[in-house]
Amino acid sequence: MDRVALRGLKARGHHGVFPREREEGQTFIVDLVLSLDTRPAAAADDLTKTVHYGVVAEEVVDVVQGEPVDLIETLAERIAEQCLKHDAVREVEVVVHKPDAPITVPFDDVTITITRSRV
């Protein structure tokens, strides 16, 4: 399997279990690794035979900016489901970063990483 990676997609969302997170929102950062066979696209030099990562990026931002959820686990699952709607994508790894999570001790980042594939 070949991989197309998108790193550092940023969007503001209103996800979290606390009222302040829902009201004020915060920045979420998403990293993706899309697994697919790029040989048909490379042989034909044809975008329609691969995944359009610009479109995927826009869709992921829409998910983050969309309907609020309590957990970043749920957000990651929704992002994975969206990515797998693209025919060429066979598997996706999603990392959701929540660098402004409401934690009372110093920290750099909170992440969830999931991998989903076509059944």
Side-chain angles (χ1 to χ4, degrees):
M1 249 339 129
D2 305 315
R3 294 180 305 276
V4 173
L6 290 91
R7 307 256 186 236
L9 296 171
K10 293 180 181 143
R12 190 155 186 85
H14 293 265
H15 312 289
V17 296
F18 297 113
R20 182 174 170 222
E21 294 178 290
R22 292 294 183 106
E23 292 164 12
E24 296 177 15
Q26 59 193 293
T27 299
F28 292 85
I29 303 165
V30 178
D31 302 324
L32 301 173
V33 178
L34 307 169
S35 296
L36 60 149
D37 183 358
T38 63
R39 288 175 294 191
D45 198 27
D46 185 350
L47 178 61
T48 65
K49 297 182 184 300
T50 187
V51 64
H52 191 310
Y53 50 79
V55 170
V56 172
E58 291 171 359
E59 292 171 348
V60 168
V61 166
D62 286 346
V63 172
V64 174
Q65 293 175 340
E67 180 185 349
V69 296
D70 287 344
L71 304 177
I72 59 173
E73 292 86 342
T74 306
L75 181 59
E77 190 70 34
R78 288 184 177 178
I79 291 168
E81 289 170 1
Q82 182 61 47
C83 292
L84 289 170
K85 289 180 181 179
H86 293 269
D87 291 337
V89 177
R90 293 290 169 238
E91 184 175 272
V92 62
E93 179 183 274
V94 177
V95 181
V96 175
H97 300 256
K98 189 175 180 181
D100 299 320
I103 297 175
T104 60
V105 297
F107 74 102
D108 289 329
D109 199 5
V110 173
T111 67
I112 176 75
T113 303
I114 67 169
T115 302
R116 299 292 181 267
S117 58
R118 294 183 182 279
V119 185

